Amino acid sequence: MANIVISEVCNLKCPYCFASQFLENARTHTESIFISPEDFEARLDFLDASGIPEVRLIGGEPTLHPRFTELVERARVRGKSIVVFSHGLMSERALVCLESLPPGDCTVLVNINATRHSDQPDEQEMTQRRSTIARLGQRVQLGFNIYSPRFQLDFLVPLIEETGCQRAIRVGLAQPILDGQNAYLHPKQYPFVASRLVEFARNAMAQGIRLDFDCGFVRCMFSEADLKVLEQAGTLFEAHCNPILDLAITGEAIHCFPLTGKVALPAGSGMDAGQMREQLSRQTRIYRSAGIYKECSTCLHKQNGVCSGGCLAVTLRRFQHPAIRLEVPTSILSIPGQG
């Protein structure tokens, strides 16, 4: 898995956005805010060399790219399926492009609580978003980022019924930016959030709707009874935090957006995705001995590999470590066939 940044701009300003520091840095250090077709082709070459069958387009807001439809067409020529991470407020041209793709070859993760106004979804934006989701139908999975313990998910059930999108909701925990300010959950709030998630999962199960968990969750958020409810509701719970590989327009490979400026591989490393993840994991391994709680160091769930100890950005924030600039070993650069 690897995400390709094609746009370094967004027309919303979500209070929890963990890509804001990346976007701010990008505007300062890159000549273009949109990926060029030539560089996009190079990313497709990288995916081919890594054996990755899907193209995951991120930003900023990826559909703001003025040649978005062309990039999608280039990926489709390679036989790739398309995954788009969007706020759902897209242009008619982008919408028609995605609408033309077979549902089995296109997934649009619509971040449903993205907003430019406040910590609640704006009604005008929701109206436009609802129309987009209805037109894309089964291509859409709803996403919701939790950055306040007062979050509400109940409104998503009728939205799914009205629009005919996938009967699954991807929930994520907003994580802190190490060199910036954003709204996010403190780990002490996790157990309260967990109880609300379990309650929603139990009620949504009756409607045939399941929850999918993004990275950063921890095992100790949930009791054994909670996990049984989630299992019955069709939720596969994994407490993991691994290198995502966000490929910037510059070619730099970032561990993940919250770790912008902290953990990255330089452009032109010559590695495939598997080698990049291994290198990033190796260089951050020392920090994995800790976790978001002081108890993580002695936790049996962590020692047994059941839980990774939560988001690495939260762990690093505990210790306020300096930036990690990764050097690529010469032995890796000289691997035959890897550039």
Side-chain angles (χ1 to χ4, degrees), residues 237-303:
F237 174 73
E238 294 182 346
H240 61 86
C241 174
N242 301 310
I244 294 175
L245 289 189
D246 291 329
L247 304 178
I249 289 178
T250 60
E252 184 180 48
I254 304 168
H255 184 288
C256 58
F257 279 149
L259 296 180
T260 293
K262 297 296 180 181
V263 185
L265 287 166
S269 66
M271 292 183 282
D272 64 22
Q275 292 168 333
M276 283 183 173
R277 279 191 287 271
E278 173 57 30
Q279 184 68 8
L280 289 166
S281 296
R282 183 183 299 117
Q283 296 293 340
T284 57
R285 193 166 295 154
I286 185 173
Y287 304 102
R288 295 293 188 185
S289 61
I292 65 172
Y293 302 115
K294 63 180 181 181
E295 295 84 2
C296 289
S297 299
T298 57
C299 175
L300 290 178
H301 292 305
K302 191 171 187 303
Q303 293 174 12

Side-chain angles (χ1 to χ4, degrees), residues 5 13 60 81 84 108 114 148 154 192 239 263 284 289 291 294 336 338:
V5 177
K13 192 173 180 61
S81 58
V84 181
V108 182
S148 166
D154 292 344
F192 178 74
V263 185
T284 57
S289 61
K294 63 180 181 181
Q338 297 300 324

Side-chain angles (χ1 to χ4, degrees), residues 31-310:
E31 297 180 358
S32 175
I33 57 176
F34 300 114
I35 195 170
S36 68
E38 295 75 22
D39 285 343
F40 186 70
E41 285 290 342
R43 302 294 184 275
L44 295 178
D45 290 341
F46 169 81
L47 296 181
D48 285 343
S50 301
I52 298 176
E54 64 182 13
V55 176
R56 299 163 63 89
L57 305 177
I58 63 172
E61 169 56 37
T63 63
L64 289 176
H65 195 297
R67 303 173 74 171
F68 175 78
T69 59
E70 177 187 337
L71 300 185
V72 171
E73 290 168 0
R74 286 173 179 262
R76 292 296 290 161
V77 167
R78 299 276 193 120
K80 304 290 188 185
S81 58
I82 306 296
V83 180
V84 181
F85 292 78
S86 173
H87 53 43
L89 307 176
M90 60 184 69
S91 68
E92 177 67 15
R93 185 179 182 187
L95 181 55
V96 169
C97 171
L98 296 174
E99 197 176 19
S100 69
L101 301 179
D105 292 334
C106 176
T107 299
V108 182
L109 185 70
V110 175
N111 182 8
I112 206 65
N113 61 331
T115 179
R116 63 167 64 89
H117 299 292
S118 67
D119 62 353
Q120 296 296 324
D122 177 82
E123 186 54 40
Q124 183 176 356
E125 292 171 2
M126 280 300 297
T127 298
Q128 182 180 349
R129 202 173 276 126
R130 185 178 291 107
S131 174
T132 294
I133 297 168
R135 286 178 60 176
L136 294 177
Q138 280 292 300
R139 300 171 186 83
V140 171
Q141 181 180 10
L142 303 183
F144 192 96
N145 288 312
I146 303 171
Y147 63 99
S148 166
R150 301 184 301 274
F151 72 98
Q152 296 290 337
L153 294 177
D154 292 344
F155 76 100
L156 298 179
V157 174
L159 182 61
I160 290 174
E161 299 292 354
E162 293 167 14
T163 60
C165 64
Q166 296 178 27
R167 304 185 75 81
I169 302 167
R170 179 177 175 178
V171 292
L173 300 176
Q175 306 296 354
I177 302 170
L178 295 184
D179 288 333
Q181 297 294 324
N182 68 319
Y184 66 94
L185 288 172
H186 191 282
K188 290 183 179 180
Q189 298 172 313
Y190 285 12
F192 178 74
V193 166
S195 65
R196 299 193 67 178
L197 285 173
V198 171
E199 180 183 4
F200 176 80
R202 182 186 289 111
N203 295 333
M205 177 173 53
Q207 306 296 322
I209 298 171
R210 75 171 192 276
L211 291 181
D212 291 338
F213 287 125
D214 204 347
C215 58
F217 289 84
V218 287
R219 168 63 180 80
C220 60
M221 292 173 62
F222 301 98
S223 67
E224 291 295 336
D226 289 339
L227 292 177
K228 187 171 290 293
V229 172
L230 293 177
E231 182 181 359
Q232 293 171 346
T235 296
L236 175 62
F237 174 73
E238 294 182 346
H240 61 86
C241 174
N242 301 310
I244 294 175
L245 289 189
D246 291 329
L247 304 178
I249 289 178
T250 60
E252 184 180 48
I254 304 168
H255 184 288
C256 58
F257 279 149
L259 296 180
T260 293
K262 297 296 180 181
V263 185
L265 287 166
S269 66
M271 292 183 282
D272 64 22
Q275 292 168 333
M276 283 183 173
R277 279 191 287 271
E278 173 57 30
Q279 184 68 8
L280 289 166
S281 296
R282 183 183 299 117
Q283 296 293 340
T284 57
R285 193 166 295 154
I286 185 173
Y287 304 102
R288 295 293 188 185
S289 61
I292 65 172
Y293 302 115
K294 63 180 181 181
E295 295 84 2
C296 289
S297 299
T298 57
C299 175
L300 290 178
H301 292 305
K302 191 171 187 303
Q303 293 174 12
N304 295 332
V306 175
C307 179
S308 62

